[in-house]
Amino acid sequence: MNQNPSISELHAAANGIKHLTAEQLEELMTVAMKESARDHAMLLVIFHHALRASEAADLKLSDLNWSSMEITIARKKGSLKTVQQLVSQRGKPCLDEIKALRRWIAERNRTNEPTSFVFASQKGGSLHPDVINRLFKKYAAQVNANRVSRGAQPIAESACRVHALKHTLCTLAIDAGMDFYKVGLRAGHAALSSTLKYVHGSQVLAGKAWQEKSFEVFA
């Protein structure tokens, strides 16, 4: 794997990134929240921490630290092991990771689920990554049916897989002006090149950024 990709290679990678818009993401999480406490919490954890399905499946109850409001993530494929803050989203319950996890854990405790995995399957034990992907596709299909019925742009077919949530976190964060290095830390990237592929080169954003900086430079 090329550890020092060229600018053209980075642009080519960016063009291939598939993600949800902020509006599509909110709708998907709202649908999941109404249908399943487990699925809603799981998809929020995947999104807010840019996880792979296998990483979410492996999460244990011991990885959640409620006193510090942190989660420990053992990432795969050479990514960094990280300890990250859980996310509270005031005014947006569909995006509030802390509330979603508490809701799921409370429901889980009522059933006396014996497994140590956070997101237990109905048969016991952890969920298989393929099952997580199928659940995401199910919710994406429901969102698309609703969006198409009112003439709104549906989630692209190429983004109807759970890995799109990782792409979505990185893309939305960078487009909102979050520092590349911090985005990389959040996503567990071991190399900056892994984060740079989410830079889509918006001239509008670049223009706004320079307008702000020019006032500082020539003050």
Side-chain angles (χ1 to χ4, degrees):
M1 184 177 181
N2 185 6
Q3 295 297 318
N4 297 290
S6 65
I7 295 297
S8 61
E9 287 173 331
L10 288 172
H11 278 297
N15 289 334
I17 293 297
K18 304 300 180 185
H19 62 279
L20 284 68
T21 65
E23 182 182 74
Q24 291 169 344
L25 178 73
E26 283 195 48
E27 289 187 28
L28 185 139
M29 294 303 179
T30 297
V31 168
M33 180 175 65
K34 291 178 179 177
E35 187 163 325
S36 167
R38 182 200 64 184
D39 297 352
H40 179 226
M42 179 177 63
L43 293 177
L44 277 182
V45 169
I46 290 173
F47 167 68
H48 280 304
H49 304 282
L51 302 187
R52 297 178 177 87
S54 58
E55 293 166 346
D58 287 346
L59 285 172
K60 302 284 187 66
L61 292 172
S62 58
D63 292 324
L64 295 172
N65 187 330
W66 291 107
S67 61
S68 63
M69 289 298 173
E70 293 176 328
I71 183 171
T72 298
I73 302 161
R75 297 184 186 267
K76 300 182 179 182
K77 295 187 177 180
S79 297
L80 302 174
K81 179 177 181 180
T82 53
V83 178
Q84 299 183 339
Q85 289 293 122
L86 295 173
V87 176
S88 173
Q89 194 84 31
R90 291 183 180 179
K92 296 277 187 179
C94 67
L95 298 176
D96 194 311
E97 178 187 25
I98 293 175
K99 287 183 179 178
L101 277 170
R102 282 177 168 165
R103 176 188 173 210
W104 163 236
I105 296 299
E107 180 178 308
R108 188 182 184 282
N109 289 341
R110 286 196 295 271
T111 63
N112 295 315
E113 174 58 51
T115 183
S116 61
F117 291 102
V118 175
F119 303 113
S121 72
Q122 294 179 344
K123 297 180 180 179
S126 65
L127 284 172
H128 191 280
D130 289 345
V131 173
I132 296 176
N133 200 50
R134 286 198 295 272
L135 289 169
F136 178 84
K137 288 182 177 181
K138 179 185 75 170
Y139 293 123
Q142 291 180 34
V143 168
N144 280 348
N146 292 334
R147 292 182 68 82
V148 169
S149 69
R150 65 176 193 271
Q153 183 180 3
I155 298 170
E157 184 178 348
S158 54
C160 289
R161 56 195 184 98
V162 74
H163 198 65
L165 291 179
K166 184 182 182 78
H167 296 327
T168 301
L169 182 282
C170 294
T171 300
L172 294 180
I174 287 178
D175 284 354
M178 188 171 170
D179 180 84
F180 300 160
Y181 178 70
K182 292 176 182 176
V183 174
L185 285 177
R186 190 68 179 179
H189 293 155
L192 182 60
S193 59
S194 296
T195 311
L196 287 175
K197 66 184 180 181
Y198 295 98
V199 181
H200 296 274
S202 168
Q203 290 298 326
V204 174
L205 290 175
K208 289 181 178 179
W210 171 241
Q211 180 68 69
E212 294 173 0
K213 288 299 179 184
S214 67
F215 287 117
E216 296 178 18
V217 173
F218 302 108

